Amino acid sequence: MDPLPLRLGVNIDHVATIRNARGGHHPDPVRAAKMAIAAGCDGITAHLREDRRHIRDDDMRRLKAEIDKPLNFEMAATDEMVRIALEVRPHAVCLVPEKRTERTTEGGLDAAGQRPHLAPVVHALKHAGIRVSLFIGAQPAQIEAAVELGAPVIEIHTGGWCDALTEGRAAEAAAEWQLIRSGAEFASGLGLEVHAGHGLGYASAETIAALPQIAELNIGHFMMGEALFDGLLEVVVSMRAAMKRGRGKVAAS
Ligand code: PXP
């Protein structure tokens, strides 16, 4: 298949984490979002967690008001978050599982096991004109559940693959990659738009960009870490270049 254009969404949560370490307003995640956009990303992702450990309610409102690219609002499927999303009206919502004690989003949403809980959330957000995506593992049962729930988009959790790669667990990395690859094909064949994210760096983004079904990558931790050394502008440019190299491999094959 012809590859889709591949978008880069930059997750700016970590800028808010640093700000919150001292309270106050510096560094400002909205400033980082504007800089990432100026450097060429296609959208901004921010996760409003129940405990507000990084992004705060007002950050979401300011992002919506001040950036000129799509805002992807990551959130748990709770009444409180649905209320805020309906007020902020982001371009997109990505529904994620959330545990208070986790350091980051550890696994995918159990869309298959939580259908009755998720159905009204997906419905309410879609009804408001918000594009809904489900952050899931690439297992066929989860993908089928996304279709049944009426979500137009899934984001495949790449964390397990990326961890296995960086920790040198080759067999596990190969198995995870196979799951991601076949999941992307399966989901796209069912009419879903397929995104991917979690744990991606330059090399893994380049690899996954070669999957023609993937339309968007959402990346935060690696890029913010690299920005300490190279600056955010340069990191966005380098990430885009890695993605372009990967996508070029589809076009060439
Ligand atoms: N996509 C989703 C749904 C996430 O929850 C996260 C982490 O907040 C990311 C992408 C980005 O992951 P990372 O920060 O590891 O790049």
Side-chain angles (χ1 to χ4, degrees), residues 56-74:
R56 301 171 181 154
D57 302 45
D58 191 48
D59 295 325
M60 280 298 185
R61 290 189 198 102
R62 288 182 57 229
L63 284 165
K64 175 66 198 306
E66 295 185 36
I67 66 172
D68 57 4
K69 290 277 182 181
L71 173 62
N72 178 29
F73 185 151
E74 270 183 27

Side-chain angles (χ1 to χ4, degrees), residues 166-253:
T166 48
E167 290 161 20
R169 290 180 271 117
E172 251 176 81
E176 290 282 346
W177 174 247
Q178 197 42 49
L179 184 67
I180 291 169
R181 208 183 143 122
S182 52
E185 263 176 45
F186 181 57
S188 165
L190 293 177
L192 294 168
E193 180 171 314
V194 186
H195 300 177
H198 212 278
L200 295 169
Y202 292 136
S204 45
E206 180 172 339
T207 303
I208 203 164
L211 296 183
Q213 300 85 7
I214 306 274
E216 181 174 307
L217 300 180
N218 284 303
I219 311 179
H221 180 85
F222 174 84
M223 293 183 73
M224 294 305 150
E226 282 298 288
L228 294 173
F229 305 107
D230 293 338
L232 186 53
L233 279 167
E234 193 174 321
V235 171
V236 172
V237 169
S238 299
M239 185 55 79
R240 286 227 73 109
M243 290 163 58
K244 193 171 171 199
R245 282 194 300 277
R247 207 60 0 166
K249 289 174 197 162
V250 183
S253 63

Side-chain angles (χ1 to χ4, degrees), residues 42-56:
D42 302 289
I44 295 298
T45 295
H47 183 174
L48 185 65
R49 281 182 165 270
E50 186 192 5
D51 63 8
R52 309 304 198 266
R53 71 175 72 158
H54 37 60
I55 295 293
R56 301 171 181 154

